[in-house]
Each structure stands twice: as structure tokens, then as C-alpha cells.
Amino acid sequence: MKTTTLLINKDGSALVICLLIMAVLLAVGINALSVSSIDQKISGNYRKQAQAFYMAEAGLQRGVAEIKKDVSYRSDTTDNITIGGVTGDYAVKICDTTNNGEAACAPLIPSSYVKLISQGNFSDSTQTVESLASLAPNGGSNANSPHKAVITSGDNTGSGNHVVNGYD
């Protein structure tokens, strides 16, 4: 009778090696899927944060436009905007020397300046943008005049062709 030992008999060793290789490849594949899923979440969060920032920027531009129409405008402004089927919103607060005591308006605002604070919300993300804007040169009220295209202060001289294009 012929006896075989387990270490000498190599029948089935290829199957065991293939199963080990398959287990390693399966682990690598599961890890790749996990990393891909995390990357998608990160990119989705980045997109929502960017959209919230753009909402806040839109609010800031709206506040500037309202002040350009009426230099004494100080109302808080809110609006909703729909982007890609998802609605976002912004809220704008305009601070000047009359409401310097409010926590949102700190630190103190110099005279003839306004502070615009715009908070944008998109999905579950929020971004805030703040800007300090001068109302008019030397604190004057000429910025509210609809009949003046250019407002200057101090000694201004020039020669040649000048173009006012309306850009900020």
C-alpha cells in the first residue's frame, strides 16, 4: 500500500494559490470602491460650499446695487435663487455708523463707509462674505446724484481721450 503525506502531495495546490490571489484582489477592489465613494462625498461637499459662496456673492452684489441706486439704503435684503433644480438663498445686512453697536457689525465702521455682510445658503452649506465700501469721496453725498457719471476728489488733471465704461 502506498502512503502519501500532505506535504509531498501537491494535488490542489494551484486551487489554494488561486483562492489566495482572488482574496487579495477582492480586498484591493473593495478598498478602491471605498476610496472612490469618499472622493465623491468630498467633491459633493466642495460643490455645495462653492454654491453657497456664490449665493453670498450674489447677495453682496445685490446690496451694492441697492446702495448705488440709493446711497441711504440700509434695509436687510433676502432672496431665493434656483440653481440646477436646487434652491439657495442669501441674506444681506448693511451696517453703518448708526448700528455699530450690533455684534454682526463689529468692528466699528468708519464714517462714510458701509459694511455689507452677506450669508449664502445652498443645500446644507453656508458661507458668509463681508465687504467694506466707501459711499463717496471725502464723505460727500455726490454718489447719490443720477446726473454725475464720474465723481472725483482732490486735484485731478488729464489730457487726451477719456472713456467711462460703467465697470466697477
Side-chain angles (χ1 to χ4, degrees):
M1 178 170 177
K2 185 176 178 183
T3 60
T4 58
T5 62
L6 186 59
L7 296 176
I8 297 174
N9 187 358
K10 295 183 182 177
D11 292 342
S13 63
L15 178 63
V16 172
I17 292 171
C18 284
L19 287 175
L20 287 174
I21 291 172
M22 293 279 287
V24 168
L25 290 175
L26 180 64
V28 169
I30 289 173
N31 188 32
L33 285 174
S34 175
V35 168
S36 174
S37 174
I38 291 170
D39 283 348
Q40 281 185 327
K41 287 179 184 176
I42 290 171
S43 103
N45 287 339
Y46 176 79
R47 183 185 60 81
K48 288 189 282 187
Q49 286 291 322
Q51 293 291 12
F53 174 77
Y54 294 138
M55 289 291 176
E57 278 287 319
L60 191 67
Q61 293 300 320
R62 168 81 181 272
V64 168
E66 294 294 343
I67 289 173
K68 281 183 176 181
K69 283 194 290 187
D70 179 9
V71 77
S72 64
Y73 183 84
R74 295 296 180 274
S75 299
D76 294 346
T77 305
T78 60
D79 202 357
N80 294 323
I81 301 172
T82 301
I83 299 173
V86 180
T87 300
D89 62 87
Y90 61 77
V92 182
K93 180 169 188 58
I94 301 173
C95 304
D96 61 9
T97 55
T98 62
N99 54 359
N100 264 341
E102 295 182 31
C105 297
L108 295 178
I109 301 163
S111 67
S112 78
Y113 280 83
V114 293
K115 181 177 183 180
L116 295 103
I117 306 164
S118 178
Q119 178 176 323
N121 302 300
F122 188 83
S123 189
D124 59 350
S125 298
T126 300
Q127 291 286 323
T128 302
V129 176
E130 296 182 4
S131 179
L132 193 62
S134 173
L135 294 177
N138 299 327
S141 60
N142 291 338
N144 202 24
S145 174
H147 305 292
K148 297 193 169 103
V150 178
I151 301 167
T152 62
S153 63
D155 295 333
N156 295 298
T157 60
S159 62
N161 295 329
H162 300 281
V163 177
V164 177
N165 61 16
Y167 296 121
D168 291 339

XYZ file of all heavy atoms in Angstrom, residues 47-93:
359
model
N -18.654 71.212 -3.882
C -19.605 71.855 -4.806
C -20.652 72.648 -4.030
O -20.962 73.792 -4.374
C -20.275 70.813 -5.693
C -21.223 71.417 -6.723
C -21.980 70.350 -7.509
N -22.782 69.498 -6.668
C -24.006 69.822 -6.200
N -24.512 70.990 -6.487
N -24.686 68.986 -5.456
N -21.178 72.069 -2.946
C -22.190 72.773 -2.154
C -21.608 74.009 -1.475
O -22.262 75.048 -1.429
C -22.807 71.833 -1.117
C -23.722 70.788 -1.733
C -24.478 70.010 -0.688
C -23.584 68.982 -0.060
N -24.296 68.080 0.849
N -20.370 73.897 -0.982
C -19.728 75.055 -0.368
C -19.495 76.159 -1.402
O -19.677 77.343 -1.113
C -18.401 74.654 0.280
C -18.549 73.887 1.568
C -19.082 74.748 2.688
O -18.747 75.913 2.827
N -19.954 74.165 3.489
N -19.087 75.764 -2.604
C -18.873 76.754 -3.671
C -20.193 77.428 -4.041
O -20.239 78.651 -4.229
C -18.247 76.091 -4.899
N -21.278 76.671 -4.145
C -22.585 77.255 -4.482
C -23.034 78.212 -3.381
O -23.590 79.273 -3.665
C -23.632 76.156 -4.696
C -23.384 75.308 -5.917
C -23.589 76.055 -7.222
O -23.705 77.269 -7.273
N -23.632 75.313 -8.308
N -22.816 77.847 -2.112
C -23.174 78.733 -1.003
C -22.354 80.022 -1.072
O -22.876 81.117 -0.826
C -22.966 78.028 0.335
N -21.077 79.914 -1.430
C -20.231 81.098 -1.587
C -20.768 81.993 -2.702
O -20.847 83.213 -2.550
C -18.788 80.692 -1.880
C -17.895 81.853 -2.195
C -17.422 82.671 -1.187
C -17.543 82.126 -3.508
C -16.598 83.751 -1.482
C -16.723 83.201 -3.809
C -16.251 84.015 -2.788
N -21.162 81.386 -3.832
C -21.704 82.176 -4.942
C -23.027 82.829 -4.558
O -23.335 83.938 -5.006
C -21.868 81.313 -6.191
C -20.540 80.833 -6.741
C -20.382 79.531 -7.188
C -19.443 81.670 -6.799
C -19.172 79.080 -7.676
C -18.226 81.233 -7.285
C -18.100 79.935 -7.719
O -16.902 79.494 -8.200
N -23.822 82.164 -3.718
C -25.053 82.782 -3.211
C -24.706 84.016 -2.382
O -25.341 85.057 -2.515
C -25.839 81.796 -2.339
C -26.479 80.674 -3.091
S -27.822 81.299 -4.093
C -28.277 79.795 -4.909
N -23.707 83.883 -1.501
C -23.291 85.018 -0.679
C -22.762 86.152 -1.553
O -23.052 87.325 -1.299
C -22.236 84.578 0.332
N -22.011 85.816 -2.581
C -21.507 86.835 -3.514
C -22.663 87.523 -4.228
O -22.633 88.734 -4.441
C -20.568 86.197 -4.545
C -19.163 85.993 -4.045
C -18.393 87.292 -3.941
O -18.491 88.161 -4.823
O -17.687 87.428 -2.933
N -23.683 86.768 -4.624
C -24.858 87.357 -5.278
C -25.534 88.342 -4.334
O -25.960 89.433 -4.750
C -25.824 86.263 -5.707
N -25.635 87.978 -3.066
C -26.220 88.879 -2.087
C -25.406 90.142 -1.923
O -25.953 91.255 -1.825
N -24.095 90.002 -1.901
C -23.216 91.160 -1.790
C -23.406 92.093 -2.980
O -23.536 93.310 -2.821
C -21.766 90.691 -1.700
C -20.728 91.721 -1.330
C -20.920 92.182 0.104
C -19.345 91.143 -1.517
N -23.477 91.531 -4.173
C -23.686 92.346 -5.371
C -25.052 93.030 -5.347
O -25.196 94.163 -5.796
C -23.533 91.488 -6.637
C -22.123 90.992 -6.865
C -21.133 92.128 -7.012
O -21.404 93.148 -7.631
N -19.971 91.963 -6.408
N -26.057 92.318 -4.815
C -27.393 92.922 -4.691
C -27.345 94.106 -3.736
O -27.929 95.162 -4.002
C -28.377 91.863 -4.198
C -29.729 92.387 -3.743
C -30.666 92.640 -4.913
N -31.925 93.164 -4.475
C -32.968 92.434 -4.114
N -32.905 91.117 -4.146
N -34.086 93.003 -3.735
N -26.641 93.960 -2.606
C -26.515 95.068 -1.661
C -25.808 96.259 -2.278
O -26.238 97.410 -2.100
N -24.749 96.020 -3.016
C -24.026 97.099 -3.690
C -24.938 97.781 -4.715
O -24.964 99.018 -4.814
C -22.737 96.566 -4.360
C -22.141 97.594 -5.303
C -21.729 96.147 -3.307
N -25.708 97.004 -5.450
C -26.617 97.582 -6.444
C -27.678 98.454 -5.772
O -28.016 99.539 -6.281
C -27.275 96.474 -7.255
N -28.205 98.007 -4.639
C -29.209 98.800 -3.923
C -28.605 100.107 -3.429
O -29.239 101.163 -3.493
C -29.783 98.007 -2.746
C -30.584 96.786 -3.140
C -31.869 97.098 -3.883
O -32.343 98.259 -3.848
O -32.420 96.177 -4.517
N -27.360 100.063 -2.927
C -26.703 101.284 -2.449
C -26.391 102.213 -3.616
O -26.495 103.433 -3.493
C -25.433 100.934 -1.651
C -25.844 100.300 -0.320
C -24.560 102.159 -1.422
C -24.697 99.749 0.485
N -26.048 101.649 -4.780
C -25.788 102.500 -5.953
C -27.069 103.218 -6.391
O -27.017 104.346 -6.855
C -25.235 101.664 -7.108
C -23.774 101.349 -6.964
C -23.269 100.592 -8.176
C -21.787 100.346 -8.095
N -21.288 99.636 -9.279
N -28.210 102.551 -6.245
C -29.484 103.193 -6.600
C -29.849 104.280 -5.590
O -30.358 105.321 -5.949
C -30.620 102.166 -6.669
C -30.602 101.332 -7.917
C -31.896 100.585 -8.115
C -32.045 99.473 -7.093
N -33.197 98.600 -7.339
N -29.611 103.994 -4.297
C -29.957 104.929 -3.234
C -28.905 104.804 -2.141
O -28.870 103.801 -1.422
C -31.350 104.608 -2.692
C -31.768 105.528 -1.562
O -31.064 106.518 -1.295
O -32.812 105.242 -0.935
N -28.064 105.813 -2.015
C -26.941 105.761 -1.087
C -27.401 105.639 0.367
O -26.650 105.198 1.226
C -26.001 106.972 -1.301
C -26.579 108.222 -0.699
C -24.619 106.695 -0.766
N -28.640 105.967 0.661
C -29.144 105.871 2.035
C -29.803 104.518 2.314
O -30.318 104.298 3.400
C -30.146 107.000 2.303
O -31.278 106.851 1.459
N -29.780 103.602 1.364
C -30.416 102.286 1.534
C -29.737 101.512 2.658
O -28.534 101.326 2.658
C -30.317 101.495 0.218
C -30.991 100.146 0.248
C -32.340 100.042 -0.001
C -30.274 98.998 0.544
C -32.973 98.811 0.025
C -30.897 97.765 0.580
C -32.247 97.680 0.316
O -32.869 96.458 0.352
N -30.519 101.065 3.651
C -29.965 100.302 4.767
C -30.829 99.099 5.149
O -30.658 98.522 6.193
C -29.800 101.181 6.015
C -28.800 102.300 5.870
C -27.392 101.768 5.663
N -26.444 102.855 5.524
C -26.171 103.472 4.389
N -26.767 103.108 3.276
N -25.294 104.456 4.353
N -31.767 98.725 4.333
C -32.634 97.589 4.662
C -31.892 96.274 4.498
O -31.001 96.152 3.663
C -33.864 97.581 3.752
O -34.618 98.751 3.932
N -32.267 95.292 5.307
C -31.745 93.943 5.112
C -32.472 93.330 3.926
O -33.663 93.545 3.727
C -31.956 93.092 6.371
C -31.129 93.604 7.551
O -30.232 94.426 7.321
O -31.396 93.179 8.679
N -31.747 92.567 3.118
C -32.298 92.014 1.887
C -32.132 90.505 1.877
O -31.074 89.997 2.249
C -31.557 92.604 0.664
O -31.622 94.026 0.732
C -32.149 92.124 -0.630
N -33.169 89.792 1.454
C -33.078 88.340 1.270
C -33.673 87.993 -0.081
O -34.512 88.707 -0.613
C -33.845 87.571 2.372
O -35.215 87.953 2.329
C -33.279 87.859 3.742
N -33.225 86.878 -0.632
C -33.761 86.419 -1.916
C -33.456 84.938 -2.077
O -32.523 84.413 -1.467
C -33.143 87.201 -3.070
C -34.002 87.167 -4.328
O -35.050 86.484 -4.331
O -33.626 87.812 -5.315
N -34.256 84.267 -2.881
C -34.050 82.854 -3.220
C -33.629 82.744 -4.671
O -34.152 83.459 -5.523
C -35.333 82.039 -3.022
C -35.747 81.975 -1.579
O -34.917 81.897 -0.699
N -37.045 82.024 -1.328
N -32.700 81.843 -4.946
C -32.228 81.597 -6.311
C -32.221 80.098 -6.530
O -31.793 79.338 -5.662
C -30.806 82.163 -6.522
C -30.776 83.668 -6.255
C -30.308 81.869 -7.926
C -29.391 84.256 -6.260
N -32.689 79.654 -7.704
C -32.680 78.230 -8.028
C -31.553 77.946 -9.007
O -31.455 78.584 -10.054
C -34.030 77.792 -8.623
O -35.054 78.077 -7.676
C -34.027 76.311 -8.936
N -30.704 76.979 -8.645
C -29.588 76.558 -9.493
C -29.693 75.058 -9.676
O -29.625 74.313 -8.714
C -28.226 76.909 -8.861
C -28.106 78.418 -8.679
C -27.079 76.372 -9.699
C -26.872 78.836 -7.920
N -29.853 74.618 -10.906
C -29.904 73.181 -11.180
C -31.013 72.457 -10.438
O -30.833 71.333 -10.003
N -32.145 73.107 -10.252
C -33.263 72.471 -9.572
C -33.193 72.531 -8.061
O -34.102 72.091 -7.371
N -32.104 73.080 -7.492
C -31.967 73.206 -6.042
C -31.989 74.692 -5.705
O -31.299 75.493 -6.327
C -30.653 72.568 -5.536
C -30.530 72.720 -4.037
C -30.597 71.102 -5.937
N -32.803 75.058 -4.723
C -32.951 76.461 -4.363
C -32.004 76.827 -3.230
O -31.887 76.114 -2.246
C -34.405 76.754 -3.939
O -35.267 76.447 -5.031
C -34.578 78.215 -3.558
N -31.331 77.939 -3.416
C -30.475 78.509 -2.392
C -30.969 79.899 -2.059
O -31.870 80.425 -2.717
N -30.404 80.494 -1.035
C -30.834 81.836 -0.664
C -29.662 82.630 -0.108
O -28.611 82.077 0.183
C -31.961 81.777 0.374
C -31.538 81.111 1.659
O -31.008 81.820 2.541
O -31.726 79.893 1.792
N -29.875 83.940 -0.017
C -28.899 84.794 0.622
C -29.627 85.817 1.484
O -30.794 86.120 1.263
C -27.972 85.485 -0.373
C -28.648 86.394 -1.366
C -29.085 87.665 -1.005
C -28.831 85.992 -2.674
C -29.692 88.497 -1.931
C -29.434 86.819 -3.597
C -29.867 88.077 -3.218
O -30.464 88.896 -4.122
N -28.930 86.311 2.480
C -29.424 87.390 3.331
C -28.303 88.411 3.462
O -27.168 88.054 3.750
C -29.810 86.852 4.704
N -28.637 89.673 3.220
C -27.649 90.743 3.249
C -28.008 91.718 4.363
O -29.152 92.152 4.466
C -27.599 91.508 1.909
C -26.533 92.582 1.941
C -27.371 90.566 0.763
N -27.033 92.052 5.174
C -27.185 93.072 6.210
C -26.234 94.199 5.868
O -25.077 93.968 5.538
C -26.857 92.498 7.583
C -27.001 93.505 8.707
C -26.922 92.807 10.048
C -27.259 93.740 11.172
N -28.575 94.357 11.084
